[in-house]
Each structure stands twice: as C-alpha cells, then as structure tokens.
Amino acid sequence: MEYKITVITVVFNDVANIRNTISSVINQTYKNIEYIIIDGNSKDGTIDIIKEYTDRVSKFVSEPDKGIYDAMNKGLIMASGDYVIFMNSGDIFINEFVLEGVMNGLKGFPDIIYGHTISKYKNGRLRQALSPFFESKAYCPSVGICHQSVFVKTIKAKDVLFDLSYKVCADHKMLYELYRSGATTYEYKGDIAEIICGEGYSDKHLYLKLNERGRIYGIDKDIKFKFFLLKSFFHNWIHSLFRLIEPSNFRNYRFRHKKDAV
C-alpha cells in the first residue's frame, strides 16, 4: 500500500532558508505527498517565496501564532495523510529519494517510523547516533532522534497534539506519550533529514531544554535531577569558554575527527 505522507513546514521570517526546505519537499520522487506550510505572518519576503510554489503546496496559511508548537498544531489539525512529518524552515530531506526509500522498505503499518539525522554545524556535519527510544543517559532520559526524522501516524499525533506549555520539548513529549501508550515503532537504517544546529532556540536554552525533559519524565523535583542540571550547566559553561579561546584551526580539526562526522 502506498501511504499518503503529510509534510508540514512551519516558518516565520526565514527568507534565507525557506526555499531550500520547500525544494527538498517538492522534489521528492515519492509522489503521494500532502504539503502544508504554516507561516507566522512573516514580513521579510518569506511569503513571496512561498507564493512562487502555490501549485506544489496543498495548503498554505499565514497568520500570527503563539509559537512554533502552536503553528505545528495548526498544520497537524489540517493534515489528511496516513503519516505526518515536520520539515520546518531550515530543515531539508537528505536527498530526493528518501521518502520513497522509507516507504518502500516499510514493514507493516507502525505508529512511528524513525531514522538518522545529519546535524549541520558551522564547522561541518555530524550524524546523530540513534539510541533506543528513551534510553536513560546521565540520569536524564533522552531519545536519540529528531522530529525531522520521525514519521508519526497522523491519527495518533492528532490524539496527542503538542503541549504548548513546553517551549522546546513538546515534540519530545508527544513521542514519549505515544511510546508509553504502546506505540509500535520501525527503525529506518538510513539518514532522513539534515538540520541546522547551534543557532536554534533550544540550542541557546540548554537549561530550559533539560528542565522540560525532567518535567516529561516526572523527575524535575528530584534532588538527583537538580544536581544533574547543575552539572550540565557548568559543563556547558566550561565548554563555551573553551570554544572562545580554542584556536579555530584546532577546533575544525577536532570536529572533522569526531566519530560520526560525515
């Protein structure tokens, strides 16, 4: 069976990146795609670019919202595909064949399909290592996948929606709730998406990100978790300080020789 995939792009004032994201979606060889773009009432020319592709976009809305997850919920409510995936502005599919590859290799009709993500930094690109769903690391459980590389059954995602009380981890919370409810999963062995890292809201608010994860797992009041947050804060501070004084040529060398560099 050829499943219908709804791809949702959320964007706000990102004229520099929106064209690349749209192109990565509309150039997929897999044709059973519904493409929805939710714009937050951009004023920088983003909308003009989107309008160039009106014949390739299924649904387009431009209006103020309450943040990224509110916009993502708007798109999710409009979705009619069997699966939904969010490829927000700045994110791209790894190549034009990936959706076809994922769907052709699919076994059954799992609730969640997930694969690898390539993280793009100023110094190079890294493949994010997959870990089993919600494997515990350093006391704070985490999931080694990004929503840009996750397909969720649309009907399941609509039952949960994104919790707007979370500013950076509502996608993590959705996956966790689905996992806890017994959702079936399928791991695609290849790369699915490439994302820009180091410049996003969550990258700049590590403490908030970790604290929200603690809330998700119900451990945010635990004293051990408080110590974990403190340790993470100082580790991040020291790492940032080192990056300021580290010679750029050494930093580039170290980055290129990381285990998962691509």
Side-chain angles (χ1 to χ4, degrees):
M1 180 178 178
E2 187 180 73
Y3 296 114
K4 181 179 179 180
I5 301 175
T6 297
V7 182
I8 299 174
T9 293
V10 168
V11 59
F12 177 64
N13 286 341
D14 195 20
V15 68
N17 294 305
I18 185 61
R19 191 184 299 276
N20 285 341
T21 299
I22 294 174
S23 295
S24 80
V25 177
I26 65 176
N27 289 326
Q28 288 295 307
T29 56
Y30 191 81
K31 298 305 180 184
N32 196 8
I33 297 175
E34 174 186 52
Y35 191 24
I36 299 174
I37 299 180
I38 307 296
D39 175 77
N41 198 28
S42 295
K43 303 296 184 183
D44 67 340
T46 294
I47 295 175
D48 295 329
I49 293 177
I50 296 171
K51 287 182 177 179
E52 295 178 22
Y53 301 92
T54 52
D55 59 325
R56 306 294 301 275
V57 176
S58 308
K59 301 172 185 176
F60 168 52
V61 173
S62 181
E63 62 186 20
D65 53 57
K66 299 175 183 177
I68 186 170
Y69 292 118
D70 182 39
M72 290 167 74
N73 274 341
K74 289 181 181 180
L76 180 54
I77 291 170
M78 297 167 63
S80 64
D82 298 295
Y83 285 104
V84 61
I85 184 170
F86 290 87
M87 199 60 56
N88 294 335
S89 187
D91 308 326
I92 59 173
F93 286 111
I94 200 67
N95 57 48
E96 66 268 34
F97 310 108
V98 66
L99 291 187
E100 187 173 4
V102 171
M103 291 296 113
N104 285 347
L106 192 61
K107 295 178 174 60
F109 189 31
D111 298 320
I112 299 172
I113 305 165
Y114 63 99
H116 291 273
T117 303
I118 301 299
S119 299
K120 183 179 179 181
Y121 295 87
K122 290 181 179 180
N123 301 81
R125 300 159 75 239
L126 292 177
R127 176 174 289 105
Q128 179 173 309
L130 285 174
S131 62
F133 256 33
F134 306 101
E135 179 184 63
S136 180
K137 291 183 178 180
Y139 188 68
C140 184
S142 63
V143 56
I145 53 177
C146 297
H147 75 249
Q148 295 91 336
S149 295
V150 178
F151 303 83
V152 180
K153 276 185 181 177
T154 305
I155 190 171
K156 294 281 186 179
K158 286 186 177 185
D159 283 343
V160 179
L161 292 178
F162 296 102
D163 186 339
L164 300 189
S165 70
Y166 290 81
K167 303 302 180 185
V168 295
C169 289
D171 49 348
H172 190 104
K173 184 173 185 289
M174 171 187 279
L175 289 174
Y176 183 64
E177 287 188 21
L178 291 172
Y179 174 75
R180 287 291 300 274
S181 70
T184 56
T185 65
Y186 170 78
E187 179 183 336
Y188 174 70
K189 301 298 183 180
D191 303 327
I192 293 179
E194 178 180 291
I195 64 174
I196 299 173
C197 287
E199 301 176 7
Y201 186 83
S202 63
D203 297 308
K204 299 174 183 177
H205 295 82
L206 176 64
Y207 180 85
L208 176 60
K209 180 179 181 179
L210 294 177
N211 195 53
E212 286 192 352
R213 287 195 174 184
R215 284 177 56 200
I216 292 171
Y217 301 109
I219 58 176
D220 53 314
K221 305 299 182 184
D222 192 301
I223 189 64
K224 288 175 63 179
F225 180 70
K226 295 294 186 183
F227 276 114
F228 169 78
L229 283 181
L230 188 63
K231 177 183 175 182
S232 299
F233 175 80
F234 280 109
H235 179 272
N236 189 62
W237 181 80
I238 292 171
H239 180 71
S240 298
L241 180 63
F242 177 71
R243 286 178 62 83
L244 287 175
I245 63 176
E246 181 184 18
S248 59
N249 57 343
F250 177 72
R251 179 165 60 248
N252 293 337
Y253 173 85
R254 177 170 54 81
F255 190 95
R256 288 196 301 271
H257 289 76
K258 282 189 176 182
K259 179 180 177 182
D260 295 317
V262 292

